[in-house]
Amino acid sequence: MPRPAAAAAPLAALALFGFVLNVCTDPTQRRRGHVRACTEALLGWFDGRGVTRVDLHAAAEAEPLYRRLGFRPRHPQ
């Protein structure tokens, strides 16, 4: 699920991309805001370095959280 890119198409060759993979939470620690806090911190880190697109590979049960953080499906079904 990519986050909307801020760079214009002609600048895409110069763009920086980020990837979020393998986010896991112990089942006993879920629903406490850990993933949201970590993802928000990572997105801030990306923003501070000029990253214009972030790709995320999320499990179906995590999609609502990532949508609230601004991610959108690349190929909506």
Side-chain angles (χ1 to χ4, degrees), residues 1 5 9 15-16 18 21 23-24 38 43-44 48 54 58 62 66 69-70 72 76:
M1 294 171 41
L16 296 175
L21 303 167
V23 176
C24 302
C38 290
L43 293 174
V54 178
Y66 291 116
L69 291 169
R72 297 289 172 255

Side-chain angles (χ1 to χ4, degrees), residues 1-40:
M1 294 171 41
R3 198 165 187 226
L11 299 176
L14 304 175
L16 296 175
F17 298 91
F19 298 92
V20 180
L21 303 167
N22 300 324
V23 176
C24 302
T25 305
D26 184 280
T28 64
Q29 300 299 312
R30 291 184 181 156
R31 314 263 335 143
R32 297 181 182 200
H34 301 306
V35 171
R36 173 182 285 281
C38 290
T39 303
E40 287 175 341

Side-chain angles (χ1 to χ4, degrees), residues 1-4 54-56 63-76:
M1 294 171 41
R3 198 165 187 226
V54 178
D55 281 350
L56 166 75
E63 284 188 26
L65 168 64
Y66 291 116
R67 285 178 186 264
R68 287 191 300 272
L69 291 169
F71 288 91
R72 297 289 172 255
R74 183 176 309 176
H75 303 288

